[in-house]
Amino acid sequence: MEITLNGYYTLILATLVLLLGRFLVKRIKFLEDFNIPEPVAGGLVAAIVVYILNIVWGYSFNFHQGLQTATMLMFFASIGLSADFSRLKAGGSPLMIFTIVVSVFIILQDVVGVAMASVLGLDPLLGLVTGSIALTGGHGTAGAWGITLEEQYGVVGATTLGIAVATYGLVAGGVIGGPVARHLIKKLGLKPAAANPNPSEVERLAGEQSLYSTKHNEEEVHGNKEMFEKPDNIRLITASSTIESLALFAAALAFADIMTLLAQDTWFELPTFVWALAGGVILRNTLTMVFNFDMFDRAIDVIGNASLSLFLAMALLSLKLWQLTDLAGPVLIILLVQTLLMIGYAYFITFKVMGKDYDAAVLSAGHCGFGMGATPTAIANMQAVTDRYLPSHKAFLIVPMVGAFFVDIVNATILQIFTKLPFM
């Protein structure tokens, strides 16, 4: 029996999934420790229930796609509207260098994913799903690209696989980040702060960190952590700021719709959500740099986080878990290789390029976090290291900015190039 739910019931179910997820994350320590998002925790339970209903009684469900698409586009627009390029000045050259390091890794991640998928007899496009789509991109990018791959390229199970891979990445990124950083710090001869026998060395390193703790940088650090890493924090927003922010979202989505139509069947054809992200970037930086417009970042953040949660809840409700049966073995092999690649790259490349010092070790832990999972995982990795050793204002300035929005812009560009290659 096929049951079709309209937008109202789809929204009601999505909200119930989010409430279930919040309950599970608060009650199950594993979910909290590894920063599993509430929509993922509740959505996977809902997907299992839907799967059982289908297997046992033959029920299948169709959910309102328009609402899911709208929330997806609003999430990507929020990334663009948050991408203030003037913040590059706050991070300086280390921010630029780290962005390049991350960009090179995204390319390697996709090359490995595509190559491994081809060797194992899978569609090369599924290699992108087990590459930067789900790992560097996280659940939001996995859901968006999964829909695109299924509808435009006919890749069966792309969304389901993407969500599963992104969940694996969250756990793996949280597991490997700390050990990588601790091993690197041991090479530097540092010991935990509470037991460091050389106080003068601790003072010297702490003094170096203070170079990054100016008032402006502190505001950037704490601002980014609050905006992007703590979606449950209270935001001081007003009705007028919300309305103005919604107008910006509407403009970004209108731009995406127009550009999707104009670019159709041309060499610069892009998925609509990429245009939404690009529209947000253009709108944000034009208004702030040319017209000196004061953006309401807090309102943009609230709307973006809410949109992402609803999108993930609806995407997970629509999962068809039975599509993963034949992919389980090959995908596990690819993910193990990707995990080893992340460890090796963070240890030998990220650490050395970023200066081979304590900050570089903390940045390596952060890179493991969002290279495999998401920016909150990166922050958790770095906090685990800095709580044990020394502060790293440089790392907490750079990682939130790169992981929260710059990496999504780079990832979308690289993925678009990969999908246009002749062997894909």
Side-chain angles (χ1 to χ4, degrees):
M1 182 183 296
E2 190 171 286
I3 300 174
T4 300
L5 299 177
N6 61 26
Y8 296 111
Y9 290 107
T10 299
L11 181 61
I12 291 170
L13 278 179
T15 306
L16 293 175
V17 165
L18 296 178
L19 293 175
L20 173 62
R22 174 169 295 185
F23 173 80
L24 293 174
V25 169
K26 286 183 177 179
R27 293 298 183 94
I28 301 176
K29 194 174 188 304
F30 170 83
L31 300 177
E32 184 177 8
D33 289 345
F34 285 100
N35 300 291
I36 303 299
E38 293 172 0
V40 175
L44 288 176
V45 173
I48 292 171
V49 172
V50 170
Y51 175 68
I52 293 173
L53 290 174
N54 180 268
I55 295 298
V56 178
W57 289 288
Y59 288 104
S60 63
F61 296 88
N62 295 318
F63 298 96
H64 194 272
Q65 291 300 310
L67 186 60
Q68 181 177 331
T69 301
T71 53
M72 175 186 71
L73 294 177
M74 290 187 70
F75 163 62
F76 279 95
S78 74
I79 295 174
L81 289 169
S82 300
D84 187 350
F85 287 142
S86 65
R87 289 175 180 166
L88 287 169
K89 189 183 297 184
S93 58
L95 177 62
M96 295 295 294
I97 294 170
F98 189 64
T99 302
I100 294 171
V101 168
V102 170
S103 301
V104 172
F105 177 73
I106 291 174
I107 296 172
L108 288 175
Q109 201 171 53
D110 285 333
V111 168
V112 169
V114 171
M116 290 290 296
S118 300
V119 169
L120 295 170
L122 300 179
D123 189 328
L125 288 169
L126 286 178
L128 293 180
V129 177
T130 56
S132 70
I133 285 180
L135 295 177
T136 295
H139 287 87
T141 304
W145 272 102
I147 294 170
T148 300
L149 293 177
E150 288 177 350
E151 294 180 352
Q152 296 185 16
Y153 297 89
V155 181
V156 178
T159 303
T160 306
L161 178 63
I163 297 296
V165 172
T167 303
Y168 166 88
L170 278 177
V171 177
V175 169
I176 66 177
V180 167
R182 284 193 291 272
H183 198 277
L184 290 170
I185 291 170
K186 283 184 180 179
K187 289 178 61 177
L188 298 173
L190 288 178
K191 295 182 180 180
N196 198 309
N198 189 351
S200 62
E201 178 68 5
V202 174
E203 291 172 4
R204 182 185 69 80
L205 287 167
E208 291 178 1
Q209 309 310 316
S210 68
L211 294 174
Y212 301 99
S213 61
T214 63
K215 180 180 179 181
H216 177 71
N217 282 2
E218 286 291 334
E219 289 174 352
E220 289 287 345
V221 171
H222 295 301
N224 277 308
K225 283 176 65 180
E226 179 181 319
M227 282 182 63
F228 298 111
E229 319 315 328
K230 300 190 180 297
D232 290 330
N233 278 11
I234 295 174
R235 307 290 201 272
L236 301 177
I237 64 175
T238 63
S240 61
S241 68
T242 302
I243 292 171
E244 289 190 22
S245 298
L246 285 173
L248 295 176
F249 276 91
L253 266 60
F255 173 84
D257 190 54
I258 293 170
M259 291 305 300
T260 300
L261 292 174
L262 292 177
Q264 194 170 10
D265 298 325
T266 65
W267 63 272
F268 61 100
E269 182 177 4
L270 300 172
T272 305
F273 69 87
V274 177
W275 285 121
L277 190 154
V281 171
I282 295 170
L283 193 61
R284 166 75 189 227
N285 291 281
T286 300
L287 289 174
T288 55
M289 294 181 183
V290 179
F291 299 100
N292 199 29
F293 182 76
D294 186 17
M295 302 290 287
F296 294 100
D297 285 318
R298 293 185 296 272
I300 291 170
D301 178 51
V302 169
I303 296 169
N305 277 319
S307 299
L308 174 61
S309 295
L310 288 169
F311 165 62
L312 286 177
M314 287 182 276
L316 287 160
L317 280 169
S318 304
L319 287 186
K320 297 177 175 59
L321 293 177
W322 52 90
Q323 293 177 345
L324 291 180
T325 306
D326 296 332
L327 300 175
V331 166
L332 181 59
I333 295 172
I334 297 174
L335 292 179
L336 291 175
V337 173
Q338 292 283 25
T339 304
L340 294 175
L341 174 68
M342 182 74 261
I343 293 172
Y345 191 90
Y347 191 90
F348 293 107
I349 305 298
T350 305
F351 176 67
K352 291 183 178 179
V353 173
M354 295 309 299
K356 295 188 291 187
D357 55 9
Y358 175 73
D359 285 323
V362 180
L363 282 168
S364 298
H367 192 188
C368 288
F370 71 72
M372 290 294 292
T375 310
T377 307
I379 297 298
N381 284 352
M382 295 193 302
Q383 286 175 338
V385 175
T386 55
D387 286 348
R388 184 172 173 82
Y389 295 94
L390 296 168
S392 177
H393 300 293
K394 179 180 179 181
F396 278 96
L397 171 65
I398 291 174
V399 168
M401 284 194 283
V402 175
F405 41 76
F406 291 128
V407 71
D408 288 293
I409 298 171
V410 173
N411 195 23
T413 304
I414 292 172
L415 286 169
Q416 190 61 33
I417 293 171
F418 265 87
T419 56
K420 298 300 183 183
L421 295 176
F423 56 82
M424 296 299 291

